[in-house]
Every structure is written in C-alpha cells, then in structure tokens.
Amino acid sequence: MGAERVAPADVRTVACVGAGVIGGGWVAYFLARGYRVVAWDPAADAEQRLRHLVDRAWPALTELGLAEGASIDNLTYEAELADAVAEADVVQESAPEELELKRRLLADIDAVTPPQVVISSSTSGFGMTEMQVNCAHPERTVVAHPFNPPYLIPLVEVVGGEQTAADVVAWTSEFFRLAGKSVITMDREVPGFIANRLQEALWREALHMVAAGEATVEQIDQSITDGPGLRWPIQGPCLTFHLAGGQGGMAHMLDHFGPSLQAPWTRLESTELTTELRDAMVEGCEREAGDRSIDDLVAERDRGVIAVLRSLGRA
Amino acid sequence: MGAERVAPADVRTVACVGAGVIGGGWVAYFLARGYRVVAWDPAADAEQRLRHLVDRAWPALTELGLAEGASIDNLTYEAELADAVAEADVVQESAPEELELKRRLLADIDAVTPPQVVISSSTSGFGMTEMQVNCAHPERTVVAHPFNPPYLIPLVEVVGGEQTAADVVAWTSEFFRLAGKSVITMDREVPGFIANRLQEALWREALHMVAAGEATVEQIDQSITDGPGLRWPIQGPCLTFHLAGGQGGMAHMLDHFGPSLQAPWTRLESTELTTELRDAMVEGCEREAGDRSIDDLVAERDRGVIAVLRSLGRA
C-alpha cells in the first residue's frame, strides 16, 4: 500500500521541473509563499539563470509581502531529476511547449515520483489527455496553467485530462488557492484553456490589422494600454459590456446592439445570438454583479481606473 | 469670406450634441479641462440626467486634478441645437449608434454651425464617409471616438471620411492632444477602428465559449481581470508577446511559436505569417521598446503590475 497524498494545506515542498522563464517564475513564487523548492532543469546554465531570475524577482515579492519563513535559501537545485522529486509534495512541470518533449518528460517524472504525488503541468496549450499517454500513473497528472510572470499574475487554470482523477483536479485547485492564486477549475479540456483563447483572439486580430496595413504595432499597443486595457484589471469583458448597456445592463446591450455583432468588425465569425446564449450572458452578469447596482459597478470601475492611472503615474 | 478656424490651443467653448452616457462623459471631461461647454439633447429629461452624470463624475475629476478655472458652472444647457453650437469652437456629436439618425443629425449640426468649426463624432463604428453624406460642409466632419467613460479613459481614435479635409484630421488630433487625450490618428477608415476591433475579437470569442459551454461568464471575466488584463494597462498585446519571447523578443516569439498560430485556439482564422508581417511585428516592437532592453521592459512590467495590484487592494 502506498503513502497517502498530503492535504493541500500540508504541502511543504514543491519540485519545479524546468526552470526557464515560467518554471523560474514558479520557483520565485513558491519561495515567497514560504515553501521549500527543489528545482531541476537539463540545461547547462539553468541553475545560474534560475538564481538570477529569483534574485531579480525577490525585491518585488518582498515588497508585496513574504509568507512567514519565506527565504531564497529554501531553494535547492538538484542535478538529477529523481533527486529533485524525491521529497516533493507536488511537482510543477514547466518544460518548453513541445508535445513530444512534454510526453517524455512527464513519463520520466511519473517514473521517479511517489505515485500519490500530484504532477501538474504549466503547459499553455496542450491538453493533459494528449500529454499523459506515456505515464504509468496518469491519474495524478493535471494541467495548472499560470500567466507570465507566475510570481505576479494571480491566474491559474486547472484542468484534468481523460485519465486524470477528479480528486486530483480538486486537490490541485485547492492547493493553488491556498498558495494564494486565483484559480479557475475547468470541467473540460479546451485548447488554449480560457484566458489564452481570449488573448489569442485579440492577438490574431492584431496580426490581421498589421498585415492589412490598418494599424501599426504601436497603435495597437496604445489602443489597449490607453483604452479598454485600463478597465480590464477591474472588470472583465462581460461586466464591461454589462455597463455599456446603461441601466439596462447586459440584457439591454444584447437586445439592442446584438445585430451589430454581424458587422464586419473582426475576421472572427460571430456566433449566433440564440435566446439561450442571450440568457446565459445576462444571468452570468447578474450573478457576477450580485447586490451591486449598475451605479455601484460604475463607481467601482471609476475608482479602479483612477487607482490604476495614479499607480502608473498617469493621472 | 468666412471666419478662420481657431487654433486648437485657442478652443474655449465645446458644444456637446447628445448628452447620454458618452456625450455626458465628454461634458464632464471638457468641464474638468477648463472649457466652457454648451450641451444639447432632444430627450425630455436629458438635462437632468446630464447634470446627475456630471455631479457624479466631478469628485473623481477633482481628485485627478482640475484645469485652472474648471467649474461645473461652465456648463450651459440649450433647448435649441442652433443656440448650442452658435458660439462653439468645436462640436462633439454623441448621438445613439444609428446610421440614419447620425446622418440627419450631422446634417442638422452642419446647417447651423459656422462652416469653419470642426464637427467630430463619437461614433464607435461608423465611418465618417457614410455619415457625412448629407452635410453641406463635409470637409469639416471627422470621427473622434472615445472610450467609456470618456472622462477617465485617455484613448481617442481620430479618422476622417473620404470628404474630410486632411487639415481637419490634423486639427482634431491636435485639439484632443492638447485637451489631455491619448490620440491615435488613423490614415484610413476601418470598421470598428482599432481598439474596438481588438476588443470585439475578444468579445466574440467569449460569446463562442459561453455558447459552447466551455466557460461561464464569471470564468471569462476572472480569466481577464486576474490574468492578461493585469498586464494590458502597462504593455499592450504586442509588447506583451515581445516579452514572451525571452531575450529574443518578438523575433524569437514569431520564429519559434509562429506555427502554433495554426492551432485551433480561437474561431478566428489565422493570418498568414508572411516574412513582411513577421518583420513588421519585430520592427514595430523594436521601435516601441526604443532604448529599453528586454530586462528593462520586464522590470517595468513588474513594477506596473505590482502598482496596479496594490492600487486595487489586491496585493
């Protein structure tokens, strides 16, 4: 009989496999949250680059507030993968984004990590279903996708593959929540997950505009940093458009501006605005708004935008 | 011989035609920047709603810093359109987004406004070419598209129609720049201009995801506010991906991750990554980065994200 998996609250040691920009960012984050971190990376100069990255991130993390006992000294670098994962309560894999490499590496990690330990992957696009194929214990492999830099951006998208156990998805979500992350637990695999999918739609449109000579790189960036980008840390795209509907909110927005969805504003084909979709959007916004009236949300947005502008020295 | 157009720096009086959420937001902004504002709107309760909106926005504008002489008392409300524009140095039209209405209203404004005065429209999607058709002096009509709320979001997209004079586009850009706005001057009409086009691509993708049951409204908003939305007030989508390429920047990003553009991450068809497009993206990022190294940009982004998180009480 194998050892039992520790509770998410009892995780003490995180193994970070792959220590580039994302893996190194995870190392810095876990150290700042008070964990012991053991890192491994096959590249020759990986340890040096990792320590440079952590050193560079540490002042910011200190300023944001370290967890009790947090220290750069809690980082160990191991030359052998098996040594790196031996004492781990959870393993975070952050290898380059190549499917065959991820498959092999996850199988290697799986072979040397005690079977009760969760192995999660930072992949930004592959589903765990296609990555876990060579693992002997695929049920404990899961995706936990961060945003760059993982030591500052709160979002982590957690989603399992076909062979992932449901309790592993739940365990992983709880672990990252307790570690201070903003977790989205997805109940199905979607290529690109949620945030990258949205980000990618915007990015493709930007490429189309540059390709067609409709906008320059600088205009595209300025249009976001000085425009809708100032609202998005405060209210996401749905709540933003909830307010575009005036006091009528999302319902008014969709019922009155729905037809303009058909306008050729992007190269992305519009979805059909069925009654079901309309209702899902309206009810979602109402749930999100909760007790807050449109006026409350407007005031909240304005306070937020002002705070953001001031914090960036742009007020 | 008609009167000469005042220089952008000598504008004292702005006529705001249409005083709803956008028009009223413009009124509040121009008052805060020290202009005299004359407003007109055909709705029965428009004046009352306008004064409510300005009163509500004023504390925020005061906090951000009023221009010398700025006062709510510099707002006049006129019952007749002709009286509203009689003394105006520039007219800002913010009527509902209906083409026929905009055409009629712009022709009405054009008929009663001295011909040297620029008439600009807040339209979020129509081109001035299709709106200026009934104007006797179409050469002084131009689009100046703001973002909600116009009294806080800096971006204004300026673009003329086929009959707009080039010096009117230049005058309008300069006026809004002097009025404190972040101006993008477009050299051609594009449906949705730049920022709305990007925003709309993201929005359509969000609708597709909700329609397909891949994500909820709340997950979509959370994925932006806690993810890439935290970077976008600081660095737009191009500079963001410039950093995703590590020290190799946008060139590395496109040369190595270009093929993943073909992955089915959005319903938006990808553009072909020609050499020309690749070079345009790389050179644009390099121009934007200027003297700043990748390390400089990373440090800048991190400082910015921390400032944003702290300002929103989320650090």
Side-chain angles (χ1 to χ4, degrees):
Chain A
M1 224 185 86
E4 280 206 17
R5 179 174 302 141
V6 300
D10 293 332
V11 170
R12 292 291 166 265
T13 302
V14 182
C16 289
V17 174
V21 172
I22 296 298
W26 270 128
V27 169
Y29 183 74
F30 287 126
L31 288 172
R33 302 320 315 144
Y35 295 96
R36 283 191 59 232
V37 178
V38 190
W40 177 85
D41 189 298
D45 60 344
E47 179 173 3
Q48 190 191 340
R49 282 191 293 112
L50 169 62
R51 295 198 183 269
H52 173 70
L53 189 158
V54 174
D55 285 344
R56 206 178 51 189
W58 204 252
L61 288 164
T62 305
E63 197 190 323
L64 285 172
L66 301 175
E68 211 186 304
S71 166
I72 288 190
D73 296 338
N74 290 333
L75 169 61
T76 314
Y77 193 89
E78 291 286 354
E80 298 297 328
L81 176 59
D83 295 331
V85 299
E87 303 292 323
D89 297 314
V90 62
V91 179
Q92 185 71 26
E93 170 272 313
S94 310
E97 206 62 13
E98 292 165 37
L99 184 55
E100 268 316 311
L101 188 160
K102 292 258 194 204
R103 278 182 177 158
R104 274 200 313 273
L105 180 59
L106 284 169
D108 289 347
I109 299 171
D110 180 58
V112 291
T113 304
Q116 78 281 6
V117 173
V118 169
I119 300 169
S120 74
S121 172
S122 300
T123 180
S124 56
F126 296 123
M128 188 43 85
T129 298
E130 52 186 346
M131 294 192 296
Q132 67 193 175
V133 289
N134 299 329
C135 293
H137 300 282
E139 71 285 349
R140 48 75 173 266
T141 61
V142 63
V143 167
H145 171 235
F147 275 74
N148 195 34
Y151 55 86
L152 288 181
I153 304 290
L155 188 66
V156 176
E157 294 169 311
V158 175
V159 57
E162 277 171 24
Q163 297 186 73
T164 306
D167 68 313
V168 166
V169 174
W171 187 96
T172 307
S173 298
E174 183 62 8
F175 163 65
F176 282 105
R177 216 169 271 126
L178 291 170
K181 287 295 183 184
S182 169
V183 177
I184 292 182
T185 308
M186 297 177 67
D187 58 9
R188 67 165 91 175
E189 288 184 302
V190 175
F193 316 120
I194 298 174
N196 264 350
R197 187 138 202 157
L198 298 170
Q199 188 176 225
E200 184 79 8
L202 190 151
W203 175 236
R204 287 192 188 189
E205 189 70 26
L207 289 176
H208 275 292
M209 295 197 79
V210 173
E214 293 163 338
T216 65
V217 168
E218 297 94 319
Q219 287 177 327
I220 283 165
D221 277 356
Q222 183 186 351
S223 81
I224 295 297
T225 57
D226 294 1
L230 286 168
R231 303 184 295 215
W232 280 328
I234 302 143
Q235 290 166 346
C238 302
L239 267 197
T240 292
F241 284 141
H242 188 48
L243 298 192
Q247 294 295 327
M250 178 60 73
H252 181 85
M253 217 297 269
L254 289 176
D255 296 343
H256 290 253
F257 304 127
S260 80
L261 259 187
Q262 306 307 323
W265 275 16
T266 92
R267 282 77 173 181
L268 177 61
E269 223 179 294
S270 71
T271 180
E272 196 193 343
L273 190 58
T274 60
T275 311
E276 290 69 30
L277 175 55
R278 181 229 176 253
D279 292 348
M281 297 307 298
V282 171
E283 286 157 20
C285 282
E286 283 166 359
R287 274 197 309 274
E288 233 187 307
D291 290 340
R292 297 172 294 175
S293 69
I294 294 283
D295 277 352
D296 292 340
L297 290 167
V298 166
E300 212 169 271
R301 178 201 64 197
D302 285 5
R303 277 197 308 272
V305 171
I306 290 168
V308 168
L309 286 170
R310 296 192 122 185
S311 70
L312 299 175
R314 292 166 57 190
Chain B
M1 224 184 84
E4 280 205 19
R5 181 174 302 141
V6 299
D10 293 332
V11 170
R12 292 290 167 266
T13 303
V14 183
C16 288
V17 174
V21 171
I22 297 299
W26 271 127
V27 169
Y29 184 75
F30 287 127
L31 289 171
R33 299 321 315 144
Y35 295 96
R36 284 191 59 232
V37 178
V38 190
W40 177 85
D41 189 296
D45 61 343
E47 179 173 5
Q48 192 191 338
R49 283 191 292 112
L50 170 62
R51 293 196 183 272
H52 174 69
L53 189 158
V54 173
D55 286 345
R56 205 179 52 191
W58 204 252
L61 289 165
T62 305
E63 197 189 324
L64 285 173
L66 301 174
E68 211 186 305
S71 165
I72 288 191
D73 297 339
N74 290 335
L75 169 61
T76 314
Y77 193 89
E78 291 287 352
E80 299 297 328
L81 176 60
D83 295 331
V85 300
E87 303 293 323
D89 296 314
V90 62
V91 179
Q92 184 71 24
E93 170 273 313
S94 310
E97 206 61 14
E98 293 166 36
L99 184 56
E100 267 316 310
L101 188 159
K102 292 259 194 202
R103 278 183 177 158
R104 273 200 314 273
L105 180 59
L106 284 169
D108 289 347
I109 298 170
D110 180 57
V112 292
T113 304
Q116 79 281 7
V117 173
V118 168
I119 301 170
S120 74
S121 172
S122 299
T123 182
S124 56
F126 297 123
M128 188 44 84
T129 298
E130 53 186 346
M131 295 192 295
Q132 68 193 172
V133 289
N134 299 327
C135 292
H137 300 282
E139 72 284 351
R140 48 78 171 263
T141 60
V142 62
V143 167
H145 172 235
F147 275 73
N148 195 35
Y151 55 87
L152 289 182
I153 304 290
L155 188 65
V156 175
E157 294 169 310
V158 174
V159 57
E162 277 171 24
Q163 297 187 72
T164 307
D167 68 314
V168 166
V169 174
W171 187 96
T172 307
S173 298
E174 182 64 7
F175 164 64
F176 281 104
R177 216 168 270 127
L178 291 170
K181 286 296 183 184
S182 169
V183 176
I184 293 182
T185 307
M186 298 177 66
D187 58 12
R188 67 166 91 174
E189 287 184 303
V190 176
F193 316 120
I194 299 175
N196 264 348
R197 188 139 203 158
L198 298 170
Q199 185 175 228
E200 184 80 8
L202 190 151
W203 174 236
R204 287 193 188 188
E205 190 71 23
L207 289 175
H208 275 291
M209 295 197 80
V210 173
E214 294 164 337
T216 66
V217 168
E218 296 94 320
Q219 287 178 327
I220 284 165
D221 277 358
Q222 183 186 351
S223 79
I224 296 296
T225 58
D226 294 1
L230 286 168
R231 302 184 296 214
W232 281 330
I234 302 143
Q235 289 166 345
C238 302
L239 267 197
T240 293
F241 284 140
H242 188 48
L243 298 193
Q247 295 294 330
M250 177 61 71
H252 181 86
M253 217 298 269
L254 290 176
D255 296 342
H256 290 254
F257 304 129
S260 80
L261 259 188
Q262 305 306 323
W265 274 16
T266 90
R267 282 76 175 181
L268 179 61
E269 225 180 293
S270 71
T271 181
E272 196 194 342
L273 190 58
T274 61
T275 310
E276 289 70 29
L277 176 54
R278 180 228 176 254
D279 292 349
M281 297 306 299
V282 171
E283 286 157 18
C285 282
E286 283 167 359
R287 274 197 310 273
E288 234 186 307
D291 290 340
R292 296 171 295 175
S293 69
I294 294 283
D295 278 352
D296 292 339
L297 290 167
V298 166
E300 211 168 273
R301 177 201 63 198
D302 286 5
R303 278 196 308 272
V305 171
I306 289 168
V308 168
L309 287 169
R310 299 193 119 184
S311 71
L312 300 174
R314 292 165 59 191

